[in-house]
């Protein structure tokens, strides 16, 4: 029997983790990143992510992708050659596809819902 579950039910603030971009991937600033996991499954993680202004290089594995919705702030996803980017702001949603290589840039402090799926 399946049970409907309310995201965040039973979670506490102590379950929020803090991290920073790896030094070898840092492009600009040293932004603090807060992640609150709301639901975990062997192949999926959902939650709320917040980050200060800054930029770092990202490399997604071929079996990993992320869907997200920006609640506040502005981010840019740059391609690996830094020749183009997409800007995503509050109210917009985006997908980081499997195998994506590029730069994640936070233009204005950001807060987003995210769903990471691994195949």
């Amino acid at each position: 029997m399946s049970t409907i579950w309310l995201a965040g039910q039973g979670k506490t603030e102590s379950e929020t983790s803090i991290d920073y971009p790896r030094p070898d991937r840092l492009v600009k600033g040293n932004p603090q990143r807060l992640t609150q996991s709301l639901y975990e499954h062997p192949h999926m993680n959902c939650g709320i992510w917040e980050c200060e202004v800054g930029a770092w290089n990202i490399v997604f594995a071929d079996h990993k992708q992320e869907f997200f919705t920006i609640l506040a702030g502005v981010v840019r996803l740059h391609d690996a050659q830094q020749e183009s980017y997409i800007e995503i702001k509050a109210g917009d949603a985006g997908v980081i596809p499997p195998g994506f290589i590029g730069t994640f840039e936070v233009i204005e402090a950001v807060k987003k819902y995210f769903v990471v799926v691994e195949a």
Side-chain angles (χ1 to χ4, degrees):
M1 183 166 136
S2 297
T3 301
I4 297 173
W5 181 81
L6 176 63
Q9 186 176 29
K11 296 289 183 176
T12 64
E13 288 301 317
S14 64
E15 295 177 43
T16 299
S17 65
I18 298 172
D19 76 331
Y20 297 85
R22 290 179 11 193
D24 61 321
R25 292 193 178 178
L26 198 56
V27 173
K28 179 172 55 175
N30 190 27
Q32 180 180 33
R33 305 181 298 194
L34 305 172
T35 304
Q36 182 182 14
S37 182
L38 297 176
Y39 177 77
E40 293 182 28
H41 183 274
H43 303 289
M44 183 175 66
N45 183 20
C46 307
I48 297 174
W49 184 84
E50 297 179 66
C51 186
E52 300 171 333
V53 172
W56 59 95
N57 295 320
I58 60 174
V59 179
F60 264 56
D62 289 335
H63 66 281
K64 181 178 175 182
Q65 59 189 317
E66 177 182 342
F67 169 83
F68 61 92
T69 300
I70 302 293
L71 301 172
V74 178
V75 301
R76 290 182 183 156
L77 284 171
H78 299 263
D79 66 12
Q81 295 76 31
Q82 299 295 310
E83 294 174 358
S84 65
Y85 65 84
I86 60 166
E87 188 167 280
I88 307 161
K89 59 187 180 305
D92 294 339
V95 172
I96 302 174
F100 178 80
I101 298 173
T103 302
F104 194 95
E105 180 181 16
V106 178
I107 303 299
E108 295 176 11
V110 70
K111 181 176 187 176
K112 68 177 183 174
Y113 280 121
F114 69 89
V115 178
V116 175
V117 177
E118 296 187 37

